[in-house]
């Protein structure tokens, strides 16, 4: 339902459903009442109390009831943003309403609801009703001279018609300069590994580039108009060495989409898991046991959240992550992302429950790097009010990361332990940890980590009143930021420069 916020929604009180973008949305009765109340006050911030009074009049309910209804509405409308959260104030409805019924007849309603049903299935049902005999298959033709093949019954995810798959180059614009040329290589790797069988055509890299040259497009689905593809796969890679995320979308010719999010320590790992995820989603088969299952998050909500995080829209991503956690509360990876996002915004108290839930979920799973990462987040969350506890959990995170050879968070944990010691003014103990952390980041060739390492040294010297050496470290960090175009930390560099400037003026 990828519509913009200008598409109006119609509330059908007779059926207790909504009609949006020619699709009917079913909600629970109380959730319908919540949606209607918010829509009656568009762009206004409505408090939880007002919502509860409107939807649960004369009833005593917990705040959680409102939260669950809000998340149900968001799930039904995703990826369209329909409700904006205003922390500690309430919620606001974002899209217009219509007094006109958006679907003109029952037959059109059914067609809209069934829009994603394959045409061959509808046709076979119709023929069965009219003729009561032979089932008819739907044929698809491709421009390679092959004869069309008859559909066969098969497993749920098996191809039931000739498929023509077009894998687009991976978008690497969010990576540092050194890695941005990997997009075409990732595409070629995936193309080579996907099986090219009699009922399946995989467009080769030269074909893809030729199709891309035919027409500039606003979104990948526009390539359907200039190709014989039945599915188009787009992807986006972001992150740093040791912590990459790959977001992908499978676009179908009938307008439907399927999303996935993969997380891995190396680009090779996420590309391998990307290939396996496509095989699983498109064909229901794997060439080898799937080892990325625990990191594969196929939720549209998670995909939307990760897209927003990659764009720097941290606050906007939180409602989607909260909805994803509500939908899959047992999934520790989504807890990790939500906790990390809260910490990025300085919301340690909001992060801690998700960290604890994630660690509890990991108790039932084999050892994996995520435990060390969650322990690291717990240590960071406690730094504001309990330095001894923070030091304990950062030490545990370092040990867990080392055991799993998760060198990125091994380095992070050492750096944060150094920051704890700086706050305790134990400078001789802090310096070796900062030095080792920076050395790990240099070995990983992680520009963001290297820049952060120099900023850690800035804190180290600044806390001792050595502004000259602090300035040298800030210049090294800024040089790395400019060379690698690390947009994400440019504001952080500006804050450090302002801090140094104020200190120098004070001394004068």
């Amino acid at each position: 339902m990828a519509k913009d916020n200008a598409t109006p929604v119609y509330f059908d009180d007779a059926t207790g459903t909504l009609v949006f973008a020619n699709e009917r949305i079913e909600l629970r009765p109380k959730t319908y009442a919540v949606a209607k109340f918010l829509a009656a006050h568009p762009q206004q911030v409505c408090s939880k109390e007002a919502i509860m009074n409107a939807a649960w009049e004369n009833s005593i309910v917990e705040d959680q009831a409102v939260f669950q209804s809000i998340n149900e509405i968001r799930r039904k409308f995703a990826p369209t943003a329909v409700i904006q959260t205003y922390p500690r104030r309430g919620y606001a409805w974002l899209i217009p309403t219509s007094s006109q019924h958006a679907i003109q007849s029952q037959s059109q309603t059914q067609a809209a609801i069934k829009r994603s049903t394959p045409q061959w299935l509808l046709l076979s049902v119709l023929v069965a009703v009219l003729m009561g005999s032979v089932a008819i298959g739907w044929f698809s033709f491709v421009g390679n001279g092959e004869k069309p093949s008859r559909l066969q019954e098969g497993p749920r995810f098996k191809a039931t018609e000739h498929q023509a798959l077009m894998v687009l180059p991976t978008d690497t614009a969010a990576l540092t300069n050194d890695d941005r040329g990997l997009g075409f290589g990732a595409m070629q790797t995936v193309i080579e590994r996907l099986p090219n069988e009699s009922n399946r055509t995989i467009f080769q890299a030269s074909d893809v580039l030729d199709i891309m040259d035919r027409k500039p497009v606003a979104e990948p689905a526009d390539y359907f108009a200039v190709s014989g593809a039945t599915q188009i796969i787009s992807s986006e890679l972001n992150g740093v060495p040791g912590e990459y995320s790959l977001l992908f979308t499978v676009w179908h010719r009938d307008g439907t989409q399927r999303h996935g999010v993969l997380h891995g320590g190396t680009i090779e790992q996420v590309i391998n898991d990307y290939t396996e995820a496509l095989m699983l989603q498109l064909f229901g088969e794997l060439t080898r046991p799937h080892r990325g299952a625990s990191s594969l998050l196929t939720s549209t909500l998670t995909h939307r959240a990760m897209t927003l995080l990659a764009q720097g829209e941290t606050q906007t991503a939180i409602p989607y992550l909260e909805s994803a956690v509500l939908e899959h509360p047992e999934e520790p990876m989504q807890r990790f992302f939500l906790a990390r996002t809260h910490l990025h915004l300085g919301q340690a108290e909001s992060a801690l429950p998700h960290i604890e839930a994630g660690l509890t979920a990991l108790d039932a799973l084999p050892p994996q790097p995520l435990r060390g990462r969650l322990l690291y987040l717990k240590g960071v969350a406690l730094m504001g009010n309990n330095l001894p506890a923070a030091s304990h959990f950062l030490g545990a995170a370092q040990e867990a990361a080392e055991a799993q050879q998760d060198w990125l968070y091994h380095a992070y944990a050492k750096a944060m332990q150094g920051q704890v010691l700086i706050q305790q003014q134990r400078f001789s103990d802090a310096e070796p940890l900062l030095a080792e952390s920076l050395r790990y980041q240099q070995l990983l060739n992680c520009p963001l980590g290297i820049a952060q390492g120099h900023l850690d040294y800035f804190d180290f010297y600044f806390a001792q009143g050595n502004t000259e050496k602090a300035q040298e470290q800030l210049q090294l960090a800024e040089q790395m930021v400019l060379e690698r175009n690390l947009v994400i930390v440019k504001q952080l560099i500006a804050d450090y420069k302002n801090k140094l400037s104020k200190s120098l003026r004070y001394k004068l």
Side-chain angles (χ1 to χ4, degrees), residues 398-475:
Q398 179 188 326
E399 292 177 4
E402 185 173 8
Q404 289 293 315
Q405 297 185 332
D406 182 7
W407 304 120
L408 179 67
Y409 274 76
H410 181 73
Y412 284 169
K414 282 183 176 291
M416 294 309 294
Q417 285 179 289
Q419 288 285 358
V420 169
L421 293 170
I422 289 173
Q423 291 188 43
Q424 296 173 333
Q425 296 189 337
R426 295 168 55 187
F427 300 112
S428 59
D429 294 327
E431 199 279 332
L433 290 170
L434 299 182
E436 192 169 356
S437 174
L438 180 56
R439 185 163 60 251
Y440 270 111
Q441 297 288 7
Q442 290 169 336
L443 290 172
L444 288 168
N445 193 26
C446 178
L448 189 61
I450 294 171
Q452 183 60 59
H454 289 303
L455 292 179
D456 288 335
Y457 262 110
F458 172 96
D459 292 332
F460 174 77
Y461 289 118
F462 190 84
Q464 298 176 76
N466 192 337
T467 55
E468 183 178 351
K469 286 195 173 183
Q471 187 170 19
E472 290 176 2
Q473 293 298 321
L474 181 57
Q475 289 173 346

Side-chain angles (χ1 to χ4, degrees), residues 6-176:
T7 305
V9 61
Y10 171 79
F11 287 81
D12 187 349
D13 290 338
T15 61
T17 59
L18 292 73
V19 179
F20 179 66
N22 287 330
E23 294 186 10
R24 189 171 291 277
I25 298 174
E26 296 184 2
L27 297 172
R28 294 177 300 160
K30 290 300 183 183
T31 302
Y32 179 85
V34 170
K36 189 171 182 180
F37 173 75
L38 290 172
H41 306 82
Q43 306 297 331
Q44 297 181 29
V45 180
C46 301
S47 68
K48 284 187 295 185
E49 291 74 17
I51 296 171
M52 291 165 68
N53 290 336
W56 288 273
E57 187 177 4
N58 299 323
S59 299
I60 299 176
V61 295
E62 299 288 338
D63 292 354
Q64 186 69 13
V66 175
F67 179 70
Q68 289 176 347
S69 290
I70 294 294
N71 280 283
E72 181 182 347
I73 295 166
R74 284 177 171 146
R75 287 199 305 273
K76 295 289 187 177
F77 278 83
T80 301
V82 61
I83 295 174
Q84 174 70 47
T85 299
Y86 291 85
R88 294 182 294 278
R89 293 178 57 201
Y91 305 91
W93 187 264
L94 301 179
I95 63 177
T97 59
S98 171
S99 60
Q100 299 295 320
H101 202 309
I103 299 180
Q104 300 300 321
S105 69
Q106 183 66 22
S107 61
Q108 288 177 318
T109 301
Q110 296 301 322
I113 295 172
K114 301 293 187 180
R115 186 173 64 176
S116 63
T117 304
Q119 292 181 341
W120 66 267
L121 179 58
L122 296 177
L123 181 59
S124 64
V125 171
L126 178 60
V127 172
V129 171
L130 295 177
M131 301 180 61
S133 57
V134 182
I136 294 182
W138 185 259
F139 298 95
S140 178
F141 296 84
V142 293
N144 60 2
E146 292 186 9
K147 296 180 180 179
S149 58
R150 187 180 180 87
L151 292 182
Q152 302 292 331
E153 292 287 340
R156 179 182 176 188
F157 293 108
K158 285 288 185 180
T160 54
E161 61 181 37
H162 193 107
Q163 293 185 322
L165 309 181
M166 178 177 169
V167 182
L168 296 176
T170 297
D171 183 354
T172 59
L175 298 181
T176 57

Side-chain angles (χ1 to χ4, degrees), residues 276-491:
E276 294 183 353
L278 291 179
M279 301 229 3
L280 186 62
Q281 285 205 16
L282 294 171
F283 317 133
E285 59 189 38
L286 295 175
T287 55
R288 57 189 173 86
H290 182 51
R291 61 181 175 79
S294 63
S295 63
L296 176 59
L297 308 173
T298 55
S299 165
T300 297
L301 293 166
T302 306
H303 185 276
R304 177 62 176 155
M306 296 301 293
T307 301
L308 290 168
L309 290 176
Q311 295 170 350
E313 298 289 339
T314 309
Q315 185 65 60
T316 310
I318 284 183
Y320 290 96
L321 285 169
E322 289 174 338
S323 298
V325 166
L326 189 65
E327 188 173 17
H328 298 290
E330 75 290 345
E331 172 55 63
M333 183 65 76
Q334 297 191 95
R335 297 278 189 180
F336 168 78
F337 284 127
L338 181 54
R340 192 177 67 175
T341 304
H342 277 303
L343 284 176
H344 179 75
L345 294 172
Q347 301 166 354
E349 291 185 2
S350 298
L352 280 168
H354 297 292
I355 295 170
E356 295 295 350
L359 289 169
T360 300
L362 285 173
D363 289 339
L365 300 174
Q368 53 181 283
L370 192 56
R371 177 172 295 279
R373 297 186 176 203
L374 281 166
L375 288 170
Y376 167 80
L377 294 186
K378 186 170 183 178
V380 173
L382 293 170
M383 284 182 65
N385 56 19
N386 193 336
L387 286 179
S391 180
H392 167 76
F393 285 107
L394 289 170
Q398 179 188 326
E399 292 177 4
E402 185 173 8
Q404 289 293 315
Q405 297 185 332
D406 182 7
W407 304 120
L408 179 67
Y409 274 76
H410 181 73
Y412 284 169
K414 282 183 176 291
M416 294 309 294
Q417 285 179 289
Q419 288 285 358
V420 169
L421 293 170
I422 289 173
Q423 291 188 43
Q424 296 173 333
Q425 296 189 337
R426 295 168 55 187
F427 300 112
S428 59
D429 294 327
E431 199 279 332
L433 290 170
L434 299 182
E436 192 169 356
S437 174
L438 180 56
R439 185 163 60 251
Y440 270 111
Q441 297 288 7
Q442 290 169 336
L443 290 172
L444 288 168
N445 193 26
C446 178
L448 189 61
I450 294 171
Q452 183 60 59
H454 289 303
L455 292 179
D456 288 335
Y457 262 110
F458 172 96
D459 292 332
F460 174 77
Y461 289 118
F462 190 84
Q464 298 176 76
N466 192 337
T467 55
E468 183 178 351
K469 286 195 173 183
Q471 187 170 19
E472 290 176 2
Q473 293 298 321
L474 181 57
Q475 289 173 346
L476 290 172
E478 185 175 22
Q479 181 181 351
M480 177 63 70
V481 169
L482 294 175
E483 287 178 356
R484 302 299 184 93
N485 193 29
L486 304 177
V487 179
I488 192 173
V489 290
K490 283 187 175 180
Q491 183 57 51

